[in-house]
Amino acid sequence: MCKLHRRAMMPAMTSRGAVTALLGRRSECEKLDRLLADVRGGDSRALVVRGVPGVGKTALLEYLTQLATDYRVVQVAGVESEMELPYAGLQQLCAPFLDRMDGIPAPQRDALGGAFGLTAGPPPDRFLVGLGALYLFAEASERQPLVCVIDDAQWLDRISLQTIVFLARRLMAERIAVVIAVREPSAVPELAQLPELTVDGLGDAESRALLATVVPGRLDSRVRDRIVAETRGNPLAIVALPRAWTIAELADGIGVPGAMPMTGRIENSFFRRLVLLPPDSRQLLLAAAAEPLGDPALLWQAAGLLGIDAAAAVAAEASGLVEFGVRTRFQHPLVRSAVYRAASPEERQAVHRALAHATDVSTDPDRRAWHLASAARGPDEEVAAELERSAGRAQARGGFGAAAAFLRRSVELTQEPARRTERSLAAAQASLTAGALDLTRELLTITQAGVLDPFQRARIELLRAHVAYASGPDNNAAPLLLTAARRLESFDLDLARETYLAAWGAAAQMGSLEAEVLLEVSRAIQALPPPPTAPRPLDLLLDGLALLITDGHTAAAAPLQAAAKVLAALPVEDVLRWGWMAPAACAATWDFEGLYATAARQVQLVRDAGALSQVQLHLAQVGLALTWMGDFAGAAANIAETDSAAAATGIPITPYSLLRLQALQGREDAATAAIVSADEQASAADPGLAAHREQWAAAVLYNGLARYDEAASAARRAASEIVVPFYTMWTLPELVEAAARVGDSELAHVALERLTTATHPCGNDSALGIEARCQALLSTGDTAEALYRDAIQRLGRTRLRPELARAHLLYGEWLRREGRRVDARDQLRTAYDLFTTIGMEAFVERARRELTATGETVRKRTAEVTTALTPQEAQIARLARDGFSNPEIATRLYLSPRTVEWHLRKVFTKLNIRSRQQLHGVALDTTTA
């Protein structure tokens, strides 16, 4: 701890001996005491310490580490000049545990090795890196409780910070504390997800007491009160500012500048002490400020290149600004800032040049390149090329965000126009892939100012279109993508076709808002020249989707079914680029079993590839298929896994699977709440589809509740939306049923005619079974009965249990109205049993009422919870039952194995079982869907 901070402390006693307590920080210290006690008791804790510079955040962290005598403590501090180096902070935090990497699963081990430059390979997925760090820390905490301390998080490289927050949010049952200090004000949105401790200034009494420790002797009360008022209780300001004032200034108070911001006043006090040092000592401090690792060997090697003698360190240390030891350490991060900012550009360039030459090019080429860039006096092709090479290595470690940082700096040092344009485009592409949309726009503006060839202009348009699409709902995204695709045709037909697919998807998401653009995209696809070789899966999908819009299901069904067969075995490279669209071929042709098989395979491929940020998109498609098949337990588990992925990645996804599930379950309060929640989440995300899916869910719910007027109203609104045809067509069976029940024959027949155009061309049992069921509703006599039987026979050959149960219900209702009560009971009893087994509570009650009307006594079903498992506990129990190991479950759910084990112990206790084998004999229901 630095000497000045010690003066802000007072001795206190704890049960483990003498520990220093901070002056005026009783409540803050008590909170840190409780945090350590919780960790010692077996729980994990995370805390963000917020406050303005100098308010005492670092002192609180030092108090924590001093208190944690029986803990393993690892620390890292963010440094402004390190912000662009990927995983620099995380690597320092993990360094003590890297010898344990052999004990973690291979995907996580490889990801960590790639992130830290220890192994070669493709860019690691940052969530696999996070899981790897989680494994390392969890294993370390088995032997001894662990405290991870991160100071000045606002200056940590972004990907390290995101990974540390990921880790902190996934800790549950490990004996680990993660405490992060961040300077205010700061824009670090990731930290908003963690518990916080805000540190304010000291009170007047504490401020006066602290001031008395640094200004011995008498002090005019007016000067003292002004210092206390001006410093606003900031401990560092109270301690540091008076050291820079003369006796005269202290006597009359003229040394307290009232207009300067607090951070500036403190830095100014450090600057006033800095200028009193000899030139060599100032240059040594500047080199230390520019060298973020605090490595004394590297610092002294650079000092030798600068001609600085070792004696320069004596005066530097005597100033109280820095300590030279095992690691170079400044009194406070603001000292580093003050030293660096006080130097001229020429002085900074000189020390960066020396640090670059002192840095080993074989072990740390990227930091060397960064120093060289900071040393450059102007455009420098040699350094720009080195930065470009570093971008490739940075991408292999930290992904596209890291690559973008190096490429952007490379652009700044590039003078030759053609190279500058290409590097700008590469930087913009990397920034877009990393999700840095503002930076992408900035780079595109720079690029557009240069001399461009037609292909470069087309690529700029493509990037601008993707920025518009990635920015959220944007009526311009689809037209921009369409324009870019057309321009790309003459340069790169494969890229053009992928862009047309993106344009089709963007237009489809906007629904009726982009109906004309969707038609224009489809016609443009049809105007493309045929592929020079056999059509690829992308070509088949594009052609089928285009036909769906221009010619309808009759023309598109066969091509889409052919596409679905090849898309079921799509290579992983295509899955990662555009595979999220692959299930559309099955969805458009009522092939829900194919939809499930394709999406489930893609989930596994994406997982195996380490692209965990894409998992939830594919999981959502699996969840939709499971609801169609009536596997509500599987759908609930899928939703829990999707939520885990969304929580881990920070990428929200609208809960459409939950919406569909709760509508089918028929619990009105829960389903209504889900519809409202989905509307709030989706109205801004995908306004074209949001209203449709919400009204579709409402129509299913109200048909189950036998409130047919409300069902007809909701279904009519959903079916009137000109969205993607296969979304609209799924609403039509609800509209036919509701309209038939309210006696609106015209509406029912129009809906049936629209439905038949979508189902009949598909020719499979799912489509034709639902079609026959709806035709039967509007038929009479022998025709109706034959249609009901045909529907039951066809749907019975599929896995669509809810649709089969509804066919039995409608047939039974028709039989009762025909006066055939005995025959009706058979159908209604079958429907009742199926609905009960599936868990469709509203339809269970509807079937019960119909059975009662036939004269059969049926006990009203009451909902009961067979277990008290949470959705995550049930998901873990299912995976354990299915043979997955704790590490495998941990990887799927973004947890540590210890947390999985902790959840399983709770599952065993709740179910009164003692082993995984016994999971096969119990129902794994949950308290919530």
Side-chain angles (χ1 to χ4, degrees):
M1 184 183 307
C2 65
K3 296 174 183 176
L4 293 181
H5 280 173
R6 286 197 189 100
R7 295 179 184 172
M9 293 185 165
M10 297 178 64
M13 295 298 295
T14 72
S15 59
R16 291 175 289 109
V19 177
T20 307
L22 289 169
L23 174 66
R25 297 298 185 200
R26 181 174 179 177
S27 63
E28 291 90 342
C29 290
E30 286 178 349
K31 187 162 188 174
L32 295 176
D33 293 346
R34 289 194 300 272
L35 178 143
L36 287 180
D38 290 343
V39 171
R40 189 180 299 108
D43 293 327
S44 294
R45 290 291 181 264
L47 183 68
V48 176
V49 181
R50 294 184 178 275
V52 298
V55 79
K57 302 182 300 298
T58 300
L60 282 167
L61 296 186
E62 291 176 347
Y63 168 82
L64 176 70
T65 59
Q66 185 185 54
L67 191 66
T69 55
D70 54 347
Y71 296 73
R72 178 76 178 268
V73 178
V74 292
Q75 303 182 67
V76 66
V79 177
E80 199 167 4
S81 60
E82 287 271 270
M83 292 180 67
E84 306 292 359
L85 296 176
Y87 291 116
L90 184 69
Q91 186 168 8
Q92 290 184 57
L93 201 62
C94 292
F97 313 120
L98 294 182
D99 59 340
R100 298 176 181 160
M101 283 180 59
D102 289 344
I104 66 178
Q108 290 90 311
R109 183 175 65 247
D110 294 343
L112 273 181
F116 298 159
L118 304 176
T119 58
D125 184 276
R126 65 187 178 95
F127 301 112
L128 276 180
V129 174
L131 282 174
L134 181 59
Y135 268 83
L136 282 180
F137 291 140
E139 184 187 352
S141 70
E142 290 278 356
R143 306 177 187 181
Q144 186 180 15
L146 179 65
V147 177
C148 302
V149 176
I150 298 95
D151 200 359
D152 272 316
Q154 76 282 349
W155 286 339
L156 213 60
D157 63 281
R158 187 67 178 273
I159 197 162
S160 283
L161 180 61
Q162 290 172 341
T163 306
I164 290 168
V165 171
F166 167 90
L167 184 150
R169 293 174 60 208
R170 308 314 293 167
L171 294 170
M172 293 182 188
E174 300 78 10
R175 298 182 300 166
I176 301 176
V178 178
V179 182
I180 304 170
V182 64
R183 177 178 299 189
E184 293 293 335
S186 65
V188 189
E190 294 89 349
L191 297 179
Q193 307 163 35
L194 299 176
E196 295 183 353
L197 169 62
T198 300
V199 184
D200 297 316
L202 297 173
D204 286 354
E206 291 84 0
S207 296
R208 292 188 184 99
L210 181 58
L211 182 60
T213 68
V214 293
V215 185
R218 296 185 58 185
L219 183 65
D220 186 288
S221 60
R222 293 171 299 176
V223 175
R224 180 197 61 200
D225 290 345
R226 186 179 177 193
I227 291 174
V228 169
E230 290 287 349
T231 57
R232 296 182 178 88
N234 187 295
L236 182 61
I238 293 170
V239 170
L241 293 181
R243 291 199 62 183
W245 303 333
T246 66
I247 294 175
E249 288 171 335
L250 283 173
D252 60 19
I254 63 172
V256 186
M260 188 180 295
M262 181 60 63
T263 302
R265 297 182 213 175
I266 298 172
E267 286 193 357
N268 187 53
S269 75
F270 293 141
F271 174 73
R272 294 178 70 175
R273 290 155 63 184
L274 179 67
V275 296
L276 298 176
L277 293 175
D280 275 6
S281 297
R282 290 201 304 270
Q283 193 175 32
L284 181 62
L285 281 174
L286 177 57
E291 194 286 291
L293 297 180
D295 181 351
L298 179 62
L299 175 62
W300 284 112
Q301 188 174 350
L305 294 170
L306 290 166
I308 300 174
D309 189 84
V314 177
E317 281 198 297
S319 72
L321 297 174
V322 70
E323 293 177 359
F324 297 108
V326 177
R327 303 200 76 75
T328 304
R329 183 175 181 183
F330 284 95
Q331 171 195 323
H332 190 276
L334 283 176
V335 177
R336 184 190 292 272
S337 303
V339 169
Y340 196 80
R341 291 172 187 173
S344 68
E346 293 76 17
E347 290 170 329
R348 294 179 197 169
Q349 290 162 3
V351 298
H352 278 295
R353 190 174 302 107
L355 286 166
H357 292 305
T359 300
D360 189 337
V361 68
S362 63
T363 60
D364 206 350
D366 301 332
R367 189 173 272 107
R368 179 179 181 274
W370 202 258
H371 281 308
L372 286 172
S374 299
R377 295 187 176 92
D380 189 318
E381 177 54 32
E382 184 177 345
V383 176
E386 185 58 40
L387 286 167
E388 190 173 25
R389 287 190 290 272
S390 287
R393 291 189 294 267
Q395 181 178 326
R397 292 197 313 276
F400 289 96
F406 279 90
L407 287 168
R408 183 178 73 247
R409 190 74 180 98
S410 176
V411 170
E412 294 169 2
L413 297 180
T414 303
Q415 187 170 29
E416 200 276 317
R419 283 199 188 99
R420 183 179 174 86
T421 296
E422 279 302 316
R423 285 170 178 163
S424 297
L425 275 171
Q429 180 64 67
S431 300
L432 173 66
T433 308
L437 303 185
D438 288 341
L439 178 57
T440 307
R441 295 186 186 97
E442 176 187 327
L443 286 162
L444 288 175
T445 300
I446 294 171
T447 309
Q448 206 157 17
V451 178
L452 304 171
D453 62 37
F455 186 35
Q456 289 170 333
R457 291 191 182 280
R459 289 159 63 194
I460 289 173
E461 288 185 5
L462 175 60
L463 288 171
R464 288 199 183 281
H466 278 302
V467 168
Y469 189 30
S471 298
D474 188 329
N475 290 352
N476 290 323
L480 286 171
L481 285 164
L482 173 60
T483 299
R486 283 174 166 156
R487 287 189 180 275
L488 287 167
E489 283 185 38
S490 57
F491 304 105
D492 188 334
L493 195 55
D494 288 344
L495 182 58
R497 293 182 79 82
E498 287 189 21
T499 307
Y500 276 122
L501 183 62
W504 196 97
Q509 276 197 323
M510 297 302 292
S512 58
L513 300 175
E514 293 290 2
E516 292 183 5
V517 176
L518 187 59
L519 179 60
E520 190 176 356
V521 171
S522 299
R523 287 173 174 162
I525 292 169
Q526 292 173 332
L528 288 169
T533 59
R536 303 164 301 163
L538 171 66
D539 302 322
L540 294 172
L541 177 61
L542 264 183
D543 294 344
L545 292 176
L547 275 172
L548 187 64
I549 302 303
T550 60
D551 294 70
H553 279 85
T554 300
L560 283 171
Q561 287 170 334
K565 291 179 181 178
V566 296
L567 290 167
L570 197 63
V572 65
E573 296 80 10
D574 289 340
V575 170
L576 295 173
R577 286 206 315 276
W578 52 268
W580 63 277
M581 284 291 292
C586 295
T589 54
W590 299 82
D591 180 10
F592 299 106
E593 294 170 53
L595 171 63
Y596 173 78
T598 299
R601 175 181 177 271
Q602 293 191 163
V603 165
Q604 193 58 50
L605 287 175
V606 168
R607 217 183 247 124
D608 291 344
L612 302 186
S613 57
Q614 295 189 29
V615 165
Q616 64 205 72
L617 182 62
H618 299 280
L619 279 173
Q621 295 171 329
V622 172
L624 179 64
L626 288 170
T627 59
W628 274 100
M629 294 188 290
D631 183 358
F632 289 179
N638 171 274
I639 291 164
E641 188 171 350
T642 305
D643 289 344
S644 291
T649 61
I651 303 172
I653 188 166
T654 309
Y656 289 131
S657 295
L658 177 62
L659 195 68
R660 170 87 172 143
L661 173 61
Q662 293 193 325
L664 287 168
Q665 287 176 320
R667 303 167 190 168
E668 184 176 3
D669 290 346
T672 301
I675 289 169
V676 171
S677 175
D679 178 64
E680 292 172 351
Q681 292 186 48
S683 56
D686 53 357
L689 295 182
H692 166 81
R693 294 198 188 187
E694 291 151 20
Q695 295 305 318
W696 175 34
V700 173
L701 173 67
Y702 292 132
N703 270 333
L705 294 169
R707 285 156 49 180
Y708 301 116
D709 283 328
E710 292 168 89
S713 176
R716 186 188 296 112
R717 288 196 296 273
S720 67
E721 273 290 315
I722 308 300
V723 197
V724 183
F726 47 84
Y727 289 134
T728 304
M729 72 187 185
W730 293 342
T731 307
L732 294 172
E734 306 302 331
L735 183 56
V736 172
E737 182 173 336
R741 287 289 183 254
V742 299
D744 192 336
S745 177
E746 181 180 356
L747 177 61
H749 277 92
V750 170
L752 175 61
E753 183 178 353
R754 290 177 61 192
L755 175 67
T756 302
T757 63
T759 51
H760 199 71
C762 299
N764 55 42
D765 284 326
S766 297
L768 297 181
I770 292 173
E771 177 187 315
R773 190 185 74 198
C774 291
Q775 286 179 328
L777 273 166
L778 303 182
S779 303
T780 58
D782 292 343
T783 301
E785 183 158 20
L787 287 167
Y788 278 125
R789 289 185 176 277
D790 183 43
I792 290 169
Q793 185 179 29
R794 289 185 178 279
L795 292 171
R797 293 196 290 262
T798 75
R799 295 172 64 185
L800 306 188
R801 295 190 302 158
E803 305 307 314
L804 173 62
R806 293 179 70 175
H808 282 292
L809 174 63
L810 291 172
Y811 186 23
E813 289 174 339
W814 180 81
L815 287 169
R816 186 179 72 79
R817 286 164 179 73
E818 291 290 307
R820 296 164 57 182
R821 298 189 351 176
V822 174
D823 292 338
R825 285 175 193 156
D826 289 341
Q827 297 299 323
L828 293 170
R829 172 60 68 183
T830 299
Y832 180 85
D833 290 342
L834 276 170
F835 287 137
T836 301
T837 300
I838 297 168
M840 299 173 66
E841 294 179 13
F843 281 98
V844 167
E845 178 59 16
R846 180 173 151 187
R848 188 194 67 81
R849 288 195 303 268
E850 287 290 329
L851 274 169
T852 301
T854 67
E856 182 167 337
T857 301
V858 185
R859 291 177 58 188
K860 187 171 183 178
R861 181 179 183 270
T862 57
E864 56 181 88
V865 177
T866 59
T867 71
L869 300 184
T870 66
Q872 187 168 64
E873 289 168 352
Q875 173 70 341
I876 288 172
R878 286 189 183 89
L879 292 170
R881 179 195 62 193
D882 294 342
F884 288 90
S885 67
N886 284 5
E888 289 169 336
I889 297 171
T891 298
R892 288 180 68 126
L893 300 184
Y894 306 86
L895 302 170
S896 76
R898 183 181 176 89
T899 294
V900 171
E901 180 184 354
W902 177 68
H903 278 302
L904 277 176
R905 285 200 301 267
K906 292 170 66 179
V907 168
F908 289 175
T909 300
K910 289 180 178 181
L911 300 181
N912 194 27
I913 62 176
R914 301 179 66 180
S915 70
R916 290 173 176 244
Q917 189 62 34
Q918 291 177 281
L919 289 169
H920 291 276
V922 295
L924 299 177
D925 296 335
T926 63
T927 54
T928 58

